[in-house]
Amino acid sequence: MRVSVVDAGSNTVRLVIADVEGGVPLPVHTVKWKLRLSEHIGADGTIADEAVERLVQAVAAAGATARRWHAPGPLAFATTVVRGAPNRQEVLCRVAAGTGIRLCTLPGETEAELTFLAARRWLGWQAGPLAVLDIGGGSLDVAFGRGRLPDFAAALPLGASRLTREYLGVQDPPGPEELKELRRRIRHELRDVASRIRWERPRTAAVSSRTFQQLARLCGAAPGRHGPFVRRELRCRELREAVRTLGALPAAERAQLPGISAPRAAQSLAGAVVGHTALKLMGLPGAVVCPWAIREGVLLRYIEDGGSWWTDVTNPAGSAPPAPKAPLRIAGPPA
């Protein structure tokens, strides 16, 4: 069986086509369209009309590519930038009308659960109690669990593009006060989640996403051309040095560093600060870099739980704006 997934993120629209015989998603074709939606939103998060039109074109191209590769209509979802936009419903309707593809938005906690599943399947049961961090353009997703799916999951407004836009747009490179305010915001948002991770004492920590992959390369991990099966790690102390290196350079010059791509150079500093602060607050000396993330999580849930799972997640009632999230309950030690 062949399945396709479309992921509309803050920077790109990505299509993954995979064969899923035997319960394992084996990629046969991948392609991406660079849209950088996060650069075309208003102060209130509204996505500009021109950007919406480019999104429609990219999703249409993804659908056409999937058909050429004999994959059914793609499982299509959009992440934080679209999910949090005041004109979200208009964006989704325009995509559906212009492409025939139903693009949905998933709750942040669901995205964290899917990324956790992908990491669990990649790392295996030997990972034991597992903490997973995934940073995107709009959010930082954190999950922890001992089984197939996490015991808890949280989506925090600490995406690399979001924080760059809100805190690092005055000077280039930013001044010490900007970085100080950025760290204060990150510590505040992470307080409860970090306490939970420290109490759970995970045996393994994993990070995923392109931002973490690029930061790991900057910190000395093997380049991507060595393949996905090379073990790559991201250490807290190395991230601290990366923050210093990135913070001393203008955004344009960061793209000359190992691993840092030009499209992500501006947000690389915010990503490094989030990563270092999170690992430090959680008491994690480092993390293994997992090449699988949310797209593979979608494929795995589809394989393991069937098409009804996707229908349940993306039904019209489920696509409404998520209800306000209850405060995270921090588990205490047994009496």
Side-chain angles (χ1 to χ4, degrees):
M1 180 174 65
R2 185 162 284 185
V3 179
S4 59
V5 175
V6 171
D7 171 6
S10 298
N11 293 300
T12 60
V13 171
R14 293 177 180 269
L15 168 70
V16 175
I17 301 171
D19 286 333
V20 295
E21 297 296 337
V24 179
L26 300 174
V28 296
H29 185 64
T30 62
V31 63
K32 65 181 179 181
W33 293 263
K34 296 181 180 179
L35 300 186
R36 304 178 78 170
L37 290 179
S38 60
E39 297 182 4
H40 301 278
I41 61 176
D44 64 347
T46 298
I47 302 176
D49 187 72
E50 179 183 352
V52 175
E53 184 56 36
R54 290 204 301 272
L55 175 61
V56 171
Q57 294 172 3
V59 173
T65 303
R67 289 191 295 273
R68 287 199 300 272
W69 283 81
H70 308 292
L75 310 175
F77 65 94
T79 54
T80 309
V81 169
V82 175
R83 184 176 66 236
N87 61 334
R88 176 181 66 90
Q89 199 58 47
E90 175 192 347
V91 172
L92 300 180
C93 289
R94 286 180 59 179
V95 170
T99 68
I101 295 172
R102 184 165 177 247
L103 185 70
C104 73
T105 56
L106 304 175
E109 291 77 9
T110 299
E111 292 184 6
E113 291 174 359
L114 291 167
T115 302
F116 181 92
L117 172 62
R120 172 62 78 192
R121 289 291 184 255
W122 181 268
L123 296 171
W125 294 113
Q126 68 171 349
L130 175 65
V132 178
L133 287 73
D134 180 286
I135 186 170
S139 67
L140 171 70
D141 296 341
V142 182
F144 170 85
R146 294 172 173 81
R148 169 179 175 253
L149 296 175
D151 299 326
F152 86 88
L156 307 173
L158 297 175
S161 292
R162 179 200 294 264
L163 295 180
T164 299
R165 186 172 63 251
E166 293 179 359
Y167 288 90
L168 304 180
V170 177
Q171 302 180 58
D172 187 21
E177 284 303 313
E178 289 179 283
L179 290 174
K180 182 178 179 180
E181 287 299 316
L182 174 59
R183 289 192 184 95
R184 182 180 292 118
R185 161 74 179 278
I186 295 168
R187 287 195 297 266
H188 173 75
E189 295 285 354
L190 275 171
R191 180 181 56 198
D192 289 348
V193 171
S195 296
R196 175 71 181 262
I197 295 292
R198 285 199 309 272
W199 185 82
E200 295 284 5
R201 296 181 180 273
R203 179 182 179 185
T204 304
V207 293
S208 67
S209 78
R210 186 65 63 186
T211 294
F212 277 134
Q213 290 173 1
Q214 293 194 3
L215 289 171
R217 177 72 187 101
L218 175 63
C219 293
R225 66 176 180 274
H226 289 185
F229 300 113
V230 174
R231 184 176 177 87
R232 297 173 174 87
E233 295 185 353
L234 186 60
R235 312 298 295 180
C236 187
R237 64 176 181 272
E238 294 167 349
L239 261 180
R240 180 181 60 201
E241 294 303 316
V243 170
R244 293 174 180 170
T245 299
L246 293 165
L249 297 174
E253 294 183 19
R254 295 174 199 155
Q256 307 304 315
L257 297 171
I260 305 299
S261 65
R264 294 179 184 270
Q267 70 181 49
S268 60
L269 174 57
V273 176
V274 171
H276 174 255
T277 306
L279 292 178
K280 185 176 179 180
L281 291 180
M282 294 174 185
L284 303 172
V288 62
V289 180
C290 179
W292 277 7
I294 185 171
R295 290 180 293 276
E296 289 76 16
V298 170
L299 287 169
L300 287 163
R301 283 299 299 267
Y302 190 85
I303 294 168
E304 297 173 5
D305 297 333
S308 60
W309 163 77
W310 183 254
T311 301
D312 291 342
V313 168
T314 61
N315 62 31
S319 64
K325 185 173 61 176
L328 179 68
R329 294 184 178 180
I330 306 302

